[in-house]
């Protein structure tokens, strides 16, 4: 697989692994992200993974692209780590309230399934967070069951409530804030994907493995109260 190096201004460059979005390419991005972090390369400020490339940001007073590129090429040539340690995250989701999942019936009709089958397939999907973007805390999460693939809505909504779970193409996402959106709304989690009160305001991270857990409205309301009060135990959702 060829690798391209592209300039991103005078303090960063991108290491691009391909022209398509795939688990293999994203896996190489995340492996290089981990390898650079482990190597402790002088002058590197941070690395920012995307779906098919890794942006390397550096301090121009300490190093340069000319110095860093051969070091990164050396890491790749020696072999990137496999089986990079990732978090396993469980997201509780309520699919049962029509207010939370206004598109479930339409999704079922368009995919020629029963509503319960759509929910079951979403729950059975094994998702991976590829990248964060668009707004703070919004994760693009790949791995949706193929039989649920649908294009974005032809008419986006002006307002999608915070914490709505939605699908489009081969992905699912969770809206961190109320915002416009063109994905199909399938449920809602009581969790906040962005909360500035937390030490780490953004909950999900690139590389996270993610599954959804079905909850009823009563459980949703209980968790939502705890999240609102700042007393929810987030650690119980994450396994290493």
């Amino acid at each position: 697989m060829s690798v391209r190096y592209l300039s991103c201004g005078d303090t960063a460059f991108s290491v691009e692994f391909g022209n398509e979005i795939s688990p293999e390419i994203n896996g190489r991005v995340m492996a290089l992200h981990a390898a650079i972090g482990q190597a402790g390369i002088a002058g590197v400020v941070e690395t920012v993974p995307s779906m098919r490339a890794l942006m390397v940001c550096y301090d121009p007073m300490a190093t340069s692209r000319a110095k860093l590129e051969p070091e990164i090429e050396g890491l790749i040539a020696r072999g990137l780590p496999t089986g990079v340690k990732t978090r396993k995250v469980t997201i509780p989701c309520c699919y049962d309230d029509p207010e939370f999942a206004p598109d479930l019936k339409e999704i079922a009709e368009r995919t020629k399934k029963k509503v319960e089958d759509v929910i079951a397939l979403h729950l059975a999907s094994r998702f991976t967070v590829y990248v964060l973007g668009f707004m703070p805390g919004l994760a693009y999460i790949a791995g949706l069951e193929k039989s649920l693939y649908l294009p974005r809505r032809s008419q986006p909504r002006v307002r999608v409530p915070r914490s709505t779970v939605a699908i489009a193409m081969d992905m699912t996402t969770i809206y961190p804030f109320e915002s416009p959106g063109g994905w199909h709304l399938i449920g809602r989690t009581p969790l906040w994907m962005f909360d500035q009160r937390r030490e780490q305001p953004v909950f999900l991270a690139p590389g996270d493995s993610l599954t959804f857990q079905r909850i009823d409205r009563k459980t949703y309301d209980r968790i939502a109260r705890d999240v609102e009060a700042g007393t929810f135990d987030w650690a119980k959702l994450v396994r290493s």
Side-chain angles (χ1 to χ4, degrees):
M1 184 181 295
S2 61
V3 178
R4 292 203 306 165
Y5 295 83
L6 304 173
S7 293
C8 301
D10 57 0
T11 62
F13 60 92
S14 177
V15 185
E16 187 178 277
F17 285 96
N19 294 319
E20 63 183 37
I21 299 170
S22 72
E24 294 76 21
I25 288 176
N26 189 252
R28 287 173 62 84
V29 171
M30 294 308 301
L32 181 59
H33 177 58
I36 292 175
Q38 293 167 5
I41 300 174
V44 173
V45 175
E46 66 173 334
T47 54
V48 183
S50 70
M51 293 183 181
R52 58 188 181 86
L54 184 73
M55 185 165 70
V56 180
C57 304
Y58 59 90
D59 179 355
M61 301 300 291
T63 189
S64 66
R65 174 180 168 180
K67 293 179 180 178
L68 289 174
E69 192 172 313
E71 292 190 65
I72 291 172
E73 287 180 338
L75 287 177
I76 296 172
R78 289 192 292 274
L80 295 174
T82 58
V84 176
K85 187 176 182 180
T86 61
R87 302 191 309 169
K88 296 177 176 60
V89 181
T90 301
I91 300 291
C93 181
C94 181
Y95 301 88
D96 302 323
D97 193 315
E99 177 190 352
F100 293 169
D103 296 331
L104 256 180
K105 185 177 179 181
E106 180 185 347
I107 294 168
E109 291 172 351
R110 292 179 64 180
T111 59
K112 298 179 172 56
K113 293 177 176 58
K114 297 178 181 178
V115 166
E116 283 298 318
D117 293 335
V118 172
I119 295 170
L121 289 170
H122 190 254
L123 290 167
S125 299
R126 292 297 176 260
F127 294 108
T128 300
V129 178
Y130 270 17
V131 66
L132 301 175
F134 181 62
M135 68 180 83
L138 188 139
Y140 290 87
I141 309 165
L144 182 67
E145 157 63 36
K146 288 185 178 181
S147 64
L148 295 181
Y149 286 12
L150 290 172
R152 294 170 186 257
R153 294 176 60 85
S154 58
Q155 185 64 45
R157 290 181 170 86
V158 176
R159 296 173 61 186
V160 175
R162 179 179 63 186
S163 299
T164 295
V165 177
I167 63 172
M169 303 165 292
D170 63 340
M171 295 190 179
T172 194
T173 195
I174 305 167
Y175 286 80
F177 302 99
E178 180 183 283
S179 73
W183 292 35
H184 306 276
L185 312 186
I186 196 172
R188 193 177 300 174
T189 176
L191 307 180
W192 294 359
M193 295 297 102
F194 182 93
D195 186 349
Q196 63 186 10
R197 297 173 301 176
R198 297 195 298 260
E199 182 178 355
Q200 172 50 265
V202 176
F203 180 51
L204 296 176
D208 284 350
S209 296
L210 190 149
T211 55
F212 287 87
Q213 179 184 48
R214 189 174 189 174
I215 57 173
D216 58 22
R217 182 59 192 261
K218 182 178 179 180
T219 304
Y220 173 95
D221 290 339
R222 175 176 55 77
I223 296 174
R225 287 193 295 269
D226 291 343
V227 171
E228 178 79 34
T231 58
F232 182 72
D233 181 8
W234 292 83
K236 67 183 180 182
L237 302 176
V238 179
R239 294 179 292 118
S240 58

